Amino acid sequence: MRDKTQTNSAAPGDRLIRAGALVFFVGAVATLVTVAPLFLGTTPFPTYMFGLSMLMGVGFLIAGAGVLRSVAAGRRQARAGARPS
């Protein structure tokens, strides 16, 4: 076996990255919905929509935490494989 990791197994941090991407896209849609009335000349949306736009940053941070967790797991695995027997 060249690689012991299954192709369908989830590495540490994968769920955080997926959740972060989902939250980011929800925030992106909220941002588009919030900005659209400014260009269309209609009445602006309520203030809570601007708060939902902040989900873009939150999603970015969640995904970043997932990447860092994945990197840390990879470093631990490499360190464990490099130890002499």
Side-chain angles (χ1 to χ4, degrees), residues 11-80:
D14 282 354
R15 288 183 184 164
L16 280 174
I17 294 170
R18 288 183 186 138
L22 181 69
V23 171
F24 180 86
F25 286 120
V26 168
V29 169
T31 300
L32 290 175
V33 168
T34 304
V35 174
L38 300 174
F39 292 115
L40 299 175
T42 60
T43 56
F45 283 99
T47 306
Y48 70 87
M49 287 299 289
F50 291 101
L52 285 177
S53 298
M54 298 299 162
L55 288 177
M56 286 179 67
V58 172
F60 188 76
L61 289 175
I62 292 171
V67 169
L68 291 177
R69 186 173 178 192
S70 179
V71 167
R75 292 182 84 189
R76 278 193 303 271
Q77 185 178 11
R79 201 175 302 134

